[in-house]
Structures are given as structure tokens and as C-alpha cells.
Amino acid sequence: MNILVLGSGGREHALAWAILQNPKCDRLICAPGNAGMAALAECADLDICDGSAVVTFCEENAVDFVVIGPEAPLAAGVADRLRAVGISCFGPSKAAARLEASKAFTKEICAAVGAPTAAYAHLTDAQAARAHIRANGAPIVVKADGLAAGKGVIVAMTEAEALDAVETMFGGAFGSAGAEVVIEEFMDGEEASFFVLVDGETCVAIGTAQDHKRVGDGDTGPNTGGMGAYSPAPVLSDTIAEAALAQIIRPTMAEMARRGMPYQGVLYAGLMIRDGLPRLVEYNVRFGDPECQVLMMRLGAQVLDLMLACAEGRLDQVAVNWADDHAVSVVMAAQGYPGDYAKGSVIAGLEDCPDDSFHKVFHAGTRLEGGQVLANGGRVLNVTARGATLAEAQARAYGMVDRIDWPDGFCRRDIGWRAL
Ligand code: AMP
Ligand code: GLY
């Protein structure tokens, strides 16, 4: 098969690596890709949110299957365009991608089926939002309705902070994404991520993970896109995972199908767990980044078979083969991230890192110039390892970090601490 992966981050590098292990893959193309993906596949310069351009590219290159990594092309309807011309693809339709693109939509679907989640109000003007906050008090959570690159959520510990957030959002800080807000009850507990493949009907769990969103050790400092992840997440036990499927995921997926917008692809459920009970924080319509890196490390080549079964509506016939293993991914970021940072510094020592089914350095934001790997983003490398225990995986990952010679980069030294 000829397979196209859309995206340019560590998530897509990990997907490409896993797909390439599978003998069904004859030719792999990544668009636009990065320096890491260029080492294992062809890279194509393509505007991945332009459905017509993606369709034309697939026709010209006899692409059989497209894997869509990020949310932007999904929200832009690229999956719909591909399916309309008979090209198989992994990822939800534009209508179903609203589960990530509109927080109010997700809350309404949850309410329709009684799925456990925070109580909420959907407000379209600042005055009503302020009144709601004064009536409910803090802590309280203010969210821009639309996609805001991970920055549209304010967990306000005081009423003043919540009122400020309302001013910011209705003031246009998030453009049209903030023209409507969702204000939620604050949920206490431990967060974990649950990944489920859905083919419109059948839901198959493919793993759990925990992200580290704060930039500093011990979960301090500003929020980021994610500084590291590990899988499995022990807080998301089999019992809690089954409860999340029974009470949240299967009912909401059935509601989507009932409304004529069946969900097809990977569903990323962010859960808040307290007293053994899961509640939904949010849905994302794609793999997490860097959660995908640890999942791919653990699942390996079977991922392609699972994604094909998902796209072809055959998930009722698959089984996921789990090894009793653990994986850790440490994000190396450019100094200054998540604030201002410089691009273009040289990364050396990558060739000294072991590279096998237990050790992988996925590239998140890199480019090649004159045979050197240069930093080309905020999150730059995802140093990922697998082991029989979490401690072994963590030691392997930091062993690789210590071989990488990149003075302009940094990482957290405690990825996995909650589970250790
Ligand atoms: P979201 O983009 O909705 O996942 O929100 C980003 C982060 O804000 C989540 O990962 C949580 O840590 C936090 N958060 C969101 N909603 C709530 C809530 N209702 N209660 C507590 N924390 C929340
Ligand atoms: N790591 C969080 C996310 O991908 O949304």
C-alpha cells in the first residue's frame, strides 16, 4: 500500500515509524514532515489543510490510505474530501471533528446522553458570562468555545481571574474561537488520557497515558503543549477504563451516529478521576502529542492494521495485542519555550543514541541543513524509550537525553514521577 501521513510533529514521526514496521506498507510519504521523518520516508511539500491539494496529491501518487495527524485538517474537512473521491483515510469528518473544535458542542452531546462531566453554561455575551461567574463563584473554568491552540482554557482560582478571562476572550484574544465561551464547574482529581479507536459504531481501547503540561519539574511554571508522557497511566485502571467506555465514550459515540455524524478515527478522552470515578474533561479528535509517541512505541506495527480496520468499519473483528510494557517520552524544547525561543541551533549527538524497538528519538520541530539537524520549533525532540517497568523506560530515555549535545535545549527531569 501507498500511505500518506499528514503532519510535521513528533506525533506524526511516531505514526510514520510504526506504520513503516508493517509489511503492508510499500511506500510511505509524509507531508510536510520534518528532518526525522525525512530519514525514513519521502517528504512532500503540501498544504495539509487544503482538501483539493491533498486529493490531487493522492491521485497523482496513487495513495491508498491517508493518516491525518493534527486537528486542523480534520476541522477543515480534509477527511470528507478524501472519502468523497473514494480514498480511504483515518480521521473524523468535519462534522464529527466538532467534538474538539467546539467545546459547547461536546458539552451538549454529553448532556444529551447523561455522560459524567462538569456542569456548564454556554454563553455568547460578556455580561451574561460575568453574571454566571458571580452567581457560581470560584474556582471556576472559563473556556473559549473554538480551537485556540491549547491556550483557550483558564482554570480560575478566584472570581477576579475568571472575570479577567471573560474580558480577554470577548475582547478578541482568540479571534472567533472566543466569541462564545463555556463556563464550567471546577473538577478536582487526577487527569489521565484514554485513547479509543471508533469506526462509527465499535469502540476499541488502545491505551492510556499521562501528559506533563507544566514546563518545570514538579509540575511548576506555565502550561505547554506537553513536556513528556508515559504509558500506561496506572490511575486509569481497567475498571475505570471500562466505566469511561460504558458511561461516557460509547453513549456519546452512539449519539453522534444517531445524529448522522458517526465518528471515525482515534478519540482522545481527557478524563478527571476522583474516588474511582471518571468524568470527561474534553475530547480531542486526534492522538495526543506526546502521548502518541508512547502509544506507538508500545503498539508498534499492529497500529497500521488497527487504523485500516477503523477506516473500513471492521473494529468488531480486531484484537489489540498488548505487551506488559511501559514507555516514556521526554520532550526536549528550545530554551525559552513556551515563551519566546530562537530557531536554528545545532543539535549534535543524535547518532550516539541507541535506535531500536526500545529506544527512539522522534523529531518534533527540526530541519536538516548541510547535513546538520537544526532546532526549528519550541518542542524539538521526543526522546522515547520502552522497558519492562516504568523505571527502566525512564532510565533508558534519560540515558539518551544525556547523549544529546544541544546547549540551547532543555527538558524536565521527572517525566513519569506520578506513577513512580
Ligand atoms: P481542555 O482544553 O478542555 O482539556 O482544558 C485544558 C486543561 O484545563 C485540562 O487538561 C485540565 O487540566 C484543565 N481543565 C479543563 N476543564 C476543567 C475543569 N472543568 N475542571 C478542572 N480543570 C479543568
Ligand atoms: N498533549 C496534549 C495534547 O496533545 O493535546
Side-chain angles (χ1 to χ4, degrees):
M1 296 184 86
N2 297 335
I3 299 173
L4 172 66
V5 173
L6 300 184
S8 62
R11 167 179 53 208
E12 290 79 21
H13 187 184
L15 287 167
W17 168 78
I19 289 168
L20 206 59
Q21 312 302 306
N22 191 305
K24 287 198 184 78
C25 178
D26 297 310
R27 179 178 174 208
L28 181 65
I29 312 170
C30 301
N34 62 33
M37 285 182 259
L40 50 87
E42 298 166 51
C43 289
D45 191 15
L46 188 61
D47 176 358
I48 63 170
C49 289
D50 178 343
S52 304
V54 174
V55 166
T56 304
F57 181 87
C58 289
E59 287 170 347
E60 285 173 0
N61 290 277
V63 170
D64 302 296
F65 188 53
V66 182
V67 176
I68 304 181
E71 64 277 17
L74 295 166
V78 171
D80 307 67
R81 295 295 302 276
L82 287 164
R83 285 191 201 108
V85 296
I87 298 169
S88 182
C89 97
F90 179 79
S93 66
K94 180 176 178 164
R98 285 188 76 208
L99 287 175
E100 177 163 355
S102 168
K103 296 195 186 282
F105 176 76
T106 299
K107 297 302 284 191
E108 195 263 312
I109 294 278
C110 286
V113 297
T117 183
Y120 81 109
H122 175 203
L123 300 154
T124 53
D125 75 86
Q127 200 182 341
R130 281 192 294 265
H132 182 85
I133 289 165
R134 291 206 181 93
N136 286 272
I140 195 161
V141 182
V142 183
K143 302 184 174 185
D145 177 60
L147 291 177
K151 298 191 178 82
V153 174
I154 307 292
V155 179
M157 291 324 234
T158 64
E159 215 172 286
E161 257 179 282
L163 293 169
D164 269 356
V166 166
E167 294 321 307
T168 311
M169 288 180 193
F170 285 103
F174 301 104
S176 60
E180 300 181 19
V181 300
V182 165
I183 301 185
E184 284 184 12
E185 165 201 0
F186 172 79
M187 293 188 287
D188 208 1
E190 190 168 344
E191 261 185 286
S193 308
F194 189 28
F195 295 88
V196 178
L197 297 183
V198 186
D199 65 3
E201 205 167 322
T202 304
C203 301
V204 174
I206 55 162
T208 65
Q210 212 162 24
D211 190 7
H212 299 58
K213 290 206 162 99
R214 303 297 192 99
V215 75
D217 283 9
D219 290 338
T220 54
N223 261 320
T224 68
M227 292 301 292
Y230 61 96
S231 172
V235 61
L236 225 168
S237 64
D238 289 350
T239 315
I240 295 176
E242 194 39 61
L245 279 166
Q247 295 164 18
I248 303 172
I249 294 166
R250 287 197 199 101
T252 49
M253 292 300 101
E255 179 66 9
M256 292 293 285
R258 198 186 65 75
R259 294 187 186 195
M261 44 181 122
Y263 187 91
Q264 188 263 72
V266 63
L267 185 69
Y268 161 167
L271 301 175
M272 190 69 82
I273 298 157
R274 203 180 67 176
D275 303 330
L277 297 174
R279 296 169 83 193
L280 185 71
V281 178
E282 61 163 349
Y283 275 143
N284 292 307
V285 299
R286 50 171 175 83
F287 280 109
D289 187 347
E291 293 93 323
C292 184
Q293 290 80 317
V294 285
L295 293 177
M296 291 308 116
M297 203 72 188
R298 296 186 62 213
L299 289 166
Q302 66 179 315
V303 162
L304 177 59
D305 299 306
L306 292 170
M307 291 193 294
L308 286 167
C310 183
E312 292 163 9
R314 292 186 283 105
L315 281 180
D316 57 337
Q317 294 159 38
V318 305
V320 182
N321 294 311
W322 283 111
D324 187 14
D325 59 359
H326 297 256
V328 170
S329 186
V330 177
V331 172
M332 295 186 79
Q335 296 283 0
Y337 175 81
D340 293 338
Y341 55 83
K343 290 183 180 176
S345 53
V346 176
I347 302 167
L350 290 171
E351 58 291 342
D352 299 330
C353 291
D355 181 32
D356 53 38
S357 63
F358 293 97
H359 304 84
K360 275 283 155 196
V361 179
F362 295 119
H363 290 224
T366 62
R367 69 187 170 86
L368 275 176
E369 196 180 286
Q372 288 183 311
V373 176
L374 305 184
N376 195 39
R379 292 190 294 170
V380 173
L381 298 172
N382 307 137
V383 183
T384 310
R386 192 160 67 91
T389 61
L390 180 60
E392 184 179 53
Q394 192 198 48
R396 283 179 173 154
Y398 282 111
M400 289 192 283
V401 165
D402 292 337
R403 287 171 189 232
I404 294 172
D405 178 13
W406 180 33
D408 294 303
F410 75 99
C411 67
R412 279 180 62 161
R413 297 293 315 191
D414 64 347
I415 301 305
W417 70 273
R418 270 182 204 279
L420 279 173

